[in-house]
Amino acid sequence: MTLARRILPASAGLLVGGLVLAGCSAGTPATDDSARTVTVATNLGEVEVPVAPERVVALDNTSFETLRDWGVTPVALPKGLLPDEGFEDWLADEDILDIGMHRDPNLELVSEAEPDLIIGGYRFQDYQDDLESIAQTIDVAGSDVAADGWVESLKDQTAALGAIFEREDEAAALVEEFETVEAEAAAATGGESVFLAVVSAGQIDNGAQRIGRLLEPLDLVDVFAGEEGDVHGDSGLAPETVAQANPDWVIVLDRDAAAGEGEVTPAEQVFAEQEAFAGTTFTTEDQIVYLDPFFYTREGLQAYQQAYEQITEAFSA
């Protein structure tokens, strides 16, 4: 006997209808917890998944903070995507298998973990078919191609995880709090120009590909809108080009802090050393927002909420 529920994206309501009993008459209590399922909206369509799976492989870093806060400890994950702070227990736990990074994951270890459910997608979306051959794999990650954008998709992700892990009330509260913070950030912005920067290998580059998503609900104008951004290397954007654009504000992703190798120079120092920035509005008015150092490896609902809180505080000062 299977107890099935259906959940749509957060924007459409956390739950639709009531409980639907499959394979038993109305009023007959469900007795087999292991057979309970819930239908959730994913980036690949609606999928029926087990409720409260015991053995979870978590690959999508945008889900990590929610899982951690709900007491869901994965049996395997890519430890290289964990921030150094906030996940010390997972990093030190030898019982949690480290499947390696998304560029070359050890799928044999994923199989060895014997998961009931794999939370894939985002950096691991190219391995969907391979993962499906091991265990049921869902993609509820943040998505740039989602109908309403990345930020809205993070709310949908939270609702889906809430349904799977029987945390619907907590999920609804998280989304409600997030939307309050999001609205405050939107109200604090009023058409100002902004440069979305990424500091990688000690160089300042156009970070729009990675943090342009922040602007979705905000009233800000990207000074390099439409131009190619760069996350992992040097696209050739010169400090003089940024200075000539003279944005009112700069929002900075310090990729080096999260993923740099060896000794890295903090983003604040990299900006301070740019002579070309001396006369810019963002320098003279001290209008630079530095995102959490681990934003690059977080990127989930909590990271975006913190960023919007920073933006509200900075723009309201």
Side-chain angles (χ1 to χ4, degrees):
M1 178 177 59
T2 301
L3 177 61
R5 290 177 295 169
R6 184 170 183 268
I7 184 168
L8 291 180
S11 56
L14 288 180
L15 289 174
V16 177
L19 297 179
V20 179
L21 294 176
C24 62
S25 61
T28 303
T31 57
D32 184 3
D33 286 345
S34 65
R36 290 187 303 149
T37 63
V38 61
T39 300
V40 298
T42 78
N43 294 323
L44 302 175
E46 292 187 354
V47 178
E48 187 174 326
V49 298
V51 172
E54 293 184 2
R55 298 185 64 80
V56 177
V57 168
L59 305 180
D60 167 32
N61 58 291
T62 68
S63 71
F64 290 167
E65 290 181 66
T66 299
L67 296 176
R68 178 202 62 193
D69 293 346
W70 289 349
V72 179
T73 301
V75 292
L77 52 72
K79 290 191 175 182
L81 285 178
L82 290 174
D84 292 338
E85 297 178 4
F87 289 90
E88 290 86 354
D89 290 346
W90 285 9
L91 286 166
D93 190 342
E94 295 182 357
D95 290 332
I96 301 176
L97 301 179
D98 182 4
I99 63 94
M101 296 293 281
H102 50 285
R103 298 178 188 86
D104 187 25
N106 188 335
L107 299 184
E108 291 184 3
L109 282 182
V110 175
S111 180
E112 183 180 321
E114 299 182 341
D116 301 317
L117 182 68
I118 300 172
I119 301 175
Y122 194 26
R123 286 178 165 95
F124 288 85
Q125 62 183 346
D126 292 342
Y127 300 95
Q128 178 72 23
D129 291 342
D130 293 329
L131 293 168
E132 280 282 5
S133 69
I134 298 172
Q136 184 173 22
T137 303
I138 59 169
D139 178 357
V140 293
S143 173
D144 289 315
V145 299
D148 296 316
W150 176 276
V151 175
E152 287 297 319
S153 72
L154 291 177
K155 303 175 190 177
D156 298 339
Q157 175 198 62
T158 304
L161 293 175
I164 294 169
F165 295 101
E166 299 184 297
R167 297 280 188 148
E168 291 97 335
D169 290 344
E170 290 95 327
L174 281 174
V175 171
E176 182 178 4
E177 180 182 0
F178 178 87
E179 289 182 333
T180 297
V181 172
E182 177 188 16
E184 290 172 348
T189 56
E192 296 90 345
S193 60
V194 63
F195 168 45
L196 302 170
V198 59
V199 174
S200 181
Q203 303 294 316
I204 297 171
D205 213 334
N206 182 1
Q209 279 190 339
R210 185 64 74 183
I211 59 173
R213 305 152 175 165
L214 280 169
L215 302 190
E216 290 175 356
L218 305 181
D219 186 10
L220 295 175
V221 179
D222 180 1
V223 291
F224 296 123
E227 297 190 24
E228 183 178 357
D230 191 86
V231 173
H232 297 106
D234 181 5
S235 67
L237 181 67
E240 290 76 14
T241 303
V242 177
Q244 185 175 8
N246 195 25
D248 300 316
W249 287 83
V250 177
I251 299 176
V252 184
L253 168 68
D254 191 347
R255 182 180 181 275
D256 284 345
E261 298 181 357
E263 292 189 14
V264 298
T265 304
E268 292 92 334
Q269 181 177 338
V270 174
F271 264 77
E273 292 174 350
Q274 304 305 313
E275 296 180 1
F277 292 169
T280 59
T281 299
F282 63 83
T283 297
T284 58
E285 298 295 326
D286 192 23
Q287 294 183 161
I288 306 177
V289 177
Y290 294 97
L291 299 176
D292 175 76
F294 299 109
F295 188 94
Y296 179 74
T297 51
R298 293 174 65 200
E299 297 188 285
L301 192 80
Q302 295 82 353
Y304 274 74
Q305 178 168 322
Q306 181 179 349
Y308 288 138
E309 289 170 342
Q310 290 180 267
I311 289 169
T312 298
E313 180 179 0
F315 279 69
S316 301

